[in-house]
Amino acid sequence: SGKVKMLIPVDFKPLHGADLEEKYPPGKHRPQYMLSSEDATVNITIDYLPQPLTEAQIDTVKNYEVNLFKKTYPSAVWKGEGVTVINGKKVGYFKLITPSSYVNIYNYFFFTSVNGQLLICAFNCYISDIPEWAPIAEKIMQSLTIKE
């Protein structure tokens, strides 16, 4: 099995209780790891899925996911997308601002292959928090280290 490491803010804790129910209602897919700021306005999720993925497929998967999000959120404001190499691993990513019922949300998704399966991480915060948190989200992604 692979070992995944990344920097996470020290004050982030597992999401639970009412915050968990609101963000991931029962019956919906919940990521394996959901970490949040104390006030639950900044979140990081990490999910290792049984979906096969090779590094050669990352561009295709990124394009598929971007198109899916464009159809699902036609009013989203796109902030970037691409494929990069981080600590020797090919990583796909995309960033966008999506509407929600009460505030627009900045989303930063990044994913790679670990032991031939999909590892997807997501960061999100309120758009008012972008100046503070977008650089931190970038540091989190850039810290991704995988040992297979």
Side-chain angles (χ1 to χ4, degrees), residues 7 26 28 44 61 73 76 78 82 91-92 96-97 99 106 115-116 124 137:
L7 296 175
K28 299 275 187 179
I44 298 168
V61 170
Y73 300 101
W78 285 84
V91 177
L96 68 157
I97 296 172
Y106 172 72
N115 292 330
N124 65 59

Side-chain angles (χ1 to χ4, degrees), residues 27-84:
K28 299 275 187 179
H29 173 76
R30 288 184 175 169
Q32 290 168 308
Y33 301 97
M34 299 163 285
L35 304 166
S36 184
S37 60
E38 189 174 327
D39 62 3
T41 61
V42 182
N43 305 282
I44 298 168
T45 64
I46 304 163
D47 214 4
Y48 185 56
L49 300 171
Q51 177 180 331
L53 180 68
T54 65
E55 284 200 358
Q57 297 170 311
I58 287 180
D59 291 273
T60 302
V61 170
K62 190 268 303 172
N63 292 336
Y64 172 83
E65 291 293 331
V66 166
N67 288 330
L68 180 64
F69 272 80
K70 285 182 176 180
K71 288 176 185 169
T72 305
Y73 300 101
S75 64
V77 176
W78 285 84
K79 295 295 186 179
E81 63 177 90
V83 174
T84 189

